[in-house]
Amino acid sequence: MKILVQKFGGTSVATLERMKQVRAKVQAGLDRGFKMVVVLSARAGETNRLLALAQEWSASPDLAECDSLVSTGEQASIALFSMLLNDSGIKARSMLGFQVPITTDDDFGNARIRSIDSEILLQALEQYDVLVVAGFQGCTEDKRITTLGRGGSDTSAVALAAALGSVECEIYTDVDGVYTTDPNLCSTARKMDRVAYDEMLEMASMGAKVLHIRSVEFAKKYKVPVHVRSTFTDNPGTLVTQEDSTMEAVLVSGIAYDKDQARVSLRGVPDQPGIAAAIFGPLSEQGVLVDMIVQNTAFDEPTTDMTFTVSRKELPKTLAICEEIKQKIGAKELLHDATVAKVSAIGVGMRNHSGVAARAFSALQAEGINILMIGTSEIKITILIQEKYVELAVRILHDTFGLDWDLGV
Ligand code: ASP
Ligand code: MG
């Protein structure tokens, strides 16, 4: 049995008219001889509406009940779409997470998939040509409904594709693929034909919102090619896949940015063992996610500076914790700045080529952009700058690395 998994996002199922366009995509799969597993999101706006209801009804909504409530958005989509398919003579039925079952842990609101039983799905596919499965939801061992976190339907789809051995997982959305950078910031941004899993992970974690980050982790782990494409055109989209030598020939594949950054600096901290632990231990214990970290090298002074970034909404909490740390370790000053942003150049080609950082730095210097912090990994260079320079920096780097040309550099 040849199986193809397709997933459609909230805007693609928002209205009857749009669902008819979705039906055409499903029909195209059937015409190619596939049995289809179609994963749907809730209709656009529905998840937000349900979450707002929970807030209205309860001062602190029970998390398990909240999942039971918000998961109904997907239940409505799959039932409506199955009706539509049946009316046009396609044998289809809907399936909720617990009916599959898609088993998750019990982290309500942000659950992780533990296993998918393909047995029932495969049996049902003997009888039906299309199974319409609710995205975003699963259930615990003891059958409580869970949800996978906002945007989680992508992860449902990729996990189902892995479990069923689908040739690829098609993710249909309202954009036509993954771009070399945000087209709203940079008019020369170009749709990528292919992008490596690792590059996509870096882009997603930088706030490129096309795919739920966990779906990319899943795809990488189980080697599922993910094809991101538009419901509303027939154009090929972007294939998120394993890297190969042609990808490595390109130095930089994309430029990502993240404006949700705040910089915190503890100045004059004693330069001795245990200081980093004394600072970052309490922060992590209280759930603050620290992003970039830079510690100055102290050569002959007894103190050094420790600077790091956090998300802006974590800033008040971070400062409160750091004020205590400052007293405890005898640091001189606590400074902060919430008008910073980070910009990254990402590319698996960096693994084998040097000089990318130097090129990026001189391009920024030519525009008079001051670099506040620098971070690097094997496939990424990140710089922290003042937020007001983000657009300029993105455009400069996009141009410097030739991303508006066809082959890059
Ligand atoms: N409906 C859920 C959300 O809005 C899941 C999804 O669409 O992927 O986050
Ligand atoms: Mg989404």
Side-chain angles (χ1 to χ4, degrees), residues 6-10 12-13 22 25-26 38-41 172 231:
Q6 293 181 326
K7 178 257 168 180
F8 296 87
S12 301
V13 295
V22 171
K25 298 291 181 197
V26 175
V38 179
V39 178
L40 300 185
S41 290
Y172 285 93
T231 308

Side-chain angles (χ1 to χ4, degrees), residues 22-199:
V22 171
R23 182 180 58 190
K25 298 291 181 197
V26 175
Q27 183 64 55
L30 290 172
D31 293 345
R32 286 164 62 203
F34 288 106
K35 289 275 187 175
M36 304 295 293
V37 173
V38 179
V39 178
L40 300 185
S41 290
R43 297 194 293 144
E46 186 61 9
T47 309
N48 287 342
R49 189 185 72 84
L50 293 165
L51 282 169
L53 275 186
Q55 293 298 334
E56 202 181 312
W57 251 250
S58 161
S60 56
D62 179 87
L63 292 176
E65 297 308 343
C66 214
D67 275 1
S68 196
L69 174 70
V70 293
S71 63
T72 60
E74 274 70 14
Q75 179 163 354
S77 299
I78 60 171
L80 289 168
F81 188 59
S82 298
M83 290 175 194
L84 197 65
L85 293 180
N86 283 317
D87 280 3
S88 41
I90 299 171
K91 285 183 79 180
R93 67 156 283 191
S94 63
M95 273 199 158
L96 292 164
F98 80 89
Q99 292 172 316
V100 172
I102 298 174
T103 310
T104 70
D105 62 18
D106 62 359
D107 188 4
F108 295 101
N110 199 25
R112 283 178 176 263
I113 296 178
R114 284 204 174 136
S115 65
I116 292 184
D117 191 345
S118 55
E119 191 73 28
I120 294 173
L121 287 170
L122 291 171
Q123 269 170 26
L125 282 174
E126 299 285 347
Q127 210 182 328
Y128 297 93
D129 292 323
V130 184
L131 296 180
V132 189
V133 181
F136 182 51
Q137 58 175 259
C139 66
T140 62
E141 298 281 357
D142 49 5
K143 292 280 183 279
R144 298 234 44 189
I145 294 170
T146 53
T147 64
L148 311 180
R150 297 308 305 268
S153 296
D154 297 337
T155 300
S156 312
V158 174
L160 281 161
L164 292 167
S166 170
V167 279
E168 64 176 25
C169 180
E170 293 187 333
I171 305 256
Y172 285 93
T173 173
D174 50 4
V175 294
D176 55 3
V178 183
Y179 277 69
T180 48
T181 192
D182 180 353
N184 298 316
L185 276 202
C186 178
S187 59
T188 53
R190 181 172 56 81
K191 189 188 78 190
M192 293 187 262
D193 295 332
R194 285 157 14 110
V195 60
Y197 293 126
D198 284 335
E199 292 172 333

Side-chain angles (χ1 to χ4, degrees), residues 102 158-159 194 223 270 289 334 376 395 409:
I102 298 174
V158 174
R194 285 157 14 110
K223 300 191 174 64
L289 217 67
L334 175 63
T376 57
R395 284 197 211 118
V409 277

